[in-house]
Amino acid sequence: MRYFLPSFLAFLPLISLHADVTLPPIISDHMVLAHPKAAIWGKADPGEEVTVALGKTTASTKADGEGRWRVELEGLTPGETGELKVAGKNTLTVRDVLVGEVWVASGQSNMTWQLQRLNDGKEEIAKANHPGIRMFNIRYSSAAKSDVPVEETPGKWVVCESSAVENWSATGYFFARNLHEQLQRPVGIIHTSHGGTPIQAWTPKEIIEADPEVASYVFGQWDEIVAAYPKAKEAYDRKLEEWQKAAETAKAEGKQEPRKPRAPTAPNSPKAPFVLYNTMIHGVTSYTIDGFVWYQGEANTGRADLYRRQLPTLMKTWRQRWNAPDAPFFIVQLANYMKRTEVPGPSKWAELRDAQREAALADHASGLAVAIDIGDASTIHPTNKQEVGRRLALLALEKTYGKQIVSSGPIFQKATFGDGAARLTFRPESVKGMHAAGGGALAGFTLAGDDRVFHRAEATIADDGSIVVKSAAVPQPVAIRYGWANNPEVNLVNEANLPASPFRSDSWPE
């Protein structure tokens, strides 16, 4: 802490000055602490003794040589409430503290998407009165952009009540609401997301640099953006001036104004590599959490080949930084989007979905919330966030909290080929009651032979729970894909009416 003294005091001995005990913004009124133990930390004078208490639970320590201190409150129980007392040379009181479940909700615009922007947002906001749910919202500021990790991240805990939630993450809220109702415990969400941002913005610099191919692409692409910005900004300013004149004319004539030109990506953009990790993640990694929910990928659809490494790396890195190696990490898969095509072919969105599927399947504590049936061809921001939040909560309730429920649609396991057909098997726990949603024939399957040309195929569910797929156009199939398109027609679900993820048996480059 800095001290500024009046000039007439500058010559007096500084023998009685000391620093007050301080807390980071996230240790504040209305917070939710994890159980059975939770970390509390802050700053004080070097060597100063600090005691932290919540009810009868206490812990003490001394600040280190740099004035940093940290304790863990142990034996906390869900539903516990009270005031947190932090005492050193001064005493701080954090009010209205709850003990419950704490999750990090992050990603890009679909995670940011606010309650008030839903089609039924007003109705949802009107009934959003759950004092046991709290959200800590972290916002990006270009003024706070930093090339190094920032120690303290601004934000505040907000209690869930109708007057306060209109700007909340809809997905984060519905996830929390489902957990709160099913577990009957307080739930805290640390919401840290930003629209239009690629995964590299959320990844530490040294982690990006550790993968030469990823680093070459990420930093090379960004250098090009920065170099091109001055000319791009000049062109944008001209177009903006022209647009303003055209918009005024259209308004005067009672016509619809033309589309506003999009501003070029600026050097201080949150899309820059590692900037969001530095400003929106690092400062809260000391907070004890139970897991992560991740809703991102649209900004990386151009390089799914790299995303296959970037997503598992992010998952591993965040767990390490939070010191939570077994924390669950639940991923929302990209929803269906754009005009539906009749002929099977390459799809960047399908590739990215497959990268998300592989990351979830390969990880010891992950899961995939499939959204292939609840998207919107006309918008990249589907409004059914209620179902997205519910599907994320199902994963947590089963995998994290041990509820005996079905949390996923049919999960593809392997394909075998012979007798002119493909036979698909799925994880046993996911196939009960497998059927075509809405009745009728299964849709979305394609087969290819050695020529690697895919054709639509017919699929039937066999008595043993496998699916047999055939196509007259492919007498000797060697590869199968399901839902391989930007906006595929798919309908495979199980008894819980949860959809199967798009998948493929091949690894052919697109």
Side-chain angles (χ1 to χ4, degrees), residues 83-106:
E83 293 185 339
L84 185 80
K85 299 284 188 179
V86 181
K89 294 174 183 176
N90 61 303
T91 299
L92 300 175
T93 301
V94 180
R95 296 174 172 81
D96 186 29
V97 177
L98 303 182
V99 176
E101 314 305 314
V102 182
W103 289 75
V104 175
S106 188

Side-chain angles (χ1 to χ4, degrees), residues 75-325:
L76 301 176
T77 58
E80 188 175 349
T81 65
E83 293 185 339
L84 185 80
K85 299 284 188 179
V86 181
K89 294 174 183 176
N90 61 303
T91 299
L92 300 175
T93 301
V94 180
R95 296 174 172 81
D96 186 29
V97 177
L98 303 182
V99 176
E101 314 305 314
V102 182
W103 289 75
V104 175
S106 188
Q108 57 181 108
S109 56
N110 270 305
M111 182 61 85
T112 305
W113 208 251
Q114 301 165 339
L115 274 170
Q116 64 180 338
R117 302 182 74 178
L118 300 183
N119 291 339
D120 51 358
K122 289 184 179 180
E123 292 79 3
E124 291 290 1
I125 290 170
K127 60 185 181 182
N129 288 290
H130 306 283
I133 299 175
R134 281 89 189 278
M135 187 173 287
F136 185 83
N137 286 296
I138 300 172
R139 306 295 185 192
Y140 175 77
S141 168
S142 58
K145 181 178 182 294
S146 176
D147 291 332
V148 296
V150 177
E151 291 298 322
E152 294 190 355
T153 301
K156 67 176 183 178
W157 287 99
V158 178
V159 179
C160 181
E161 53 190 16
S162 295
S163 61
V165 301
E166 63 178 17
N167 292 319
W168 276 24
S169 159
T171 295
Y173 165 69
F174 292 124
F175 171 73
R177 189 178 73 180
N178 277 276
L179 289 189
H180 180 59
E181 291 175 348
Q182 294 298 316
L183 299 175
Q184 292 296 297
R185 296 175 186 172
V187 178
I189 300 291
I190 301 172
H191 170 231
T192 174
S193 66
H194 197 288
T197 52
I199 193 170
Q200 51 264 28
W202 300 97
T203 307
K205 181 180 181 181
E206 64 274 17
I207 301 302
I208 299 174
E209 292 173 334
D211 186 324
E213 187 179 0
V214 170
S216 177
Y217 171 73
V218 166
F219 293 124
Q221 181 195 49
W222 188 251
D223 288 344
E224 291 177 2
I225 289 172
V226 172
Y229 180 72
K231 287 187 177 180
K233 181 65 165 59
E234 288 180 10
Y236 167 73
D237 289 341
R238 290 193 300 269
K239 291 179 181 179
L240 185 62
E241 187 176 349
E242 294 169 359
W243 173 82
Q244 289 171 336
K245 293 178 181 178
E248 291 173 2
T249 300
K251 183 178 180 180
E253 296 176 352
K255 299 179 180 179
Q256 184 176 359
E257 68 179 34
R259 179 176 295 181
K260 187 176 181 179
R262 178 177 294 181
T265 301
N268 66 346
S269 168
K271 299 178 183 180
F274 63 82
V275 67
L276 295 185
Y277 175 82
N278 285 351
T279 57
M280 296 179 68
I281 295 294
H282 179 78
V284 295
T285 54
S286 293
Y287 204 87
T288 307
I289 54 98
D290 292 285
F292 308 92
V293 287
W294 176 253
Y295 200 165
Q296 189 276 338
E298 297 89 343
N300 289 91
T301 52
R303 290 303 303 267
D305 58 324
L306 297 183
Y307 199 82
R308 291 181 189 278
R309 300 206 296 272
Q310 289 177 284
L311 181 53
T313 297
L314 179 88
M315 295 161 67
K316 178 181 178 181
T317 301
W318 281 19
R319 286 167 172 157
Q320 289 174 338
R321 299 300 167 93
W322 258 278
N323 194 28

Side-chain angles (χ1 to χ4, degrees), residues 451-470:
D451 61 359
R452 300 190 177 187
V453 177
F454 283 88
H455 299 269
R456 294 192 181 280
E458 296 179 354
T460 56
I461 301 173
D463 293 339
D464 63 359
S466 63
I467 293 180
V468 178
V469 186
K470 296 181 179 181

Side-chain angles (χ1 to χ4, degrees), residues 33-45:
L33 291 178
H35 64 91
K37 62 181 179 180
I40 305 294
W41 73 98
K43 296 179 181 178
D45 271 343

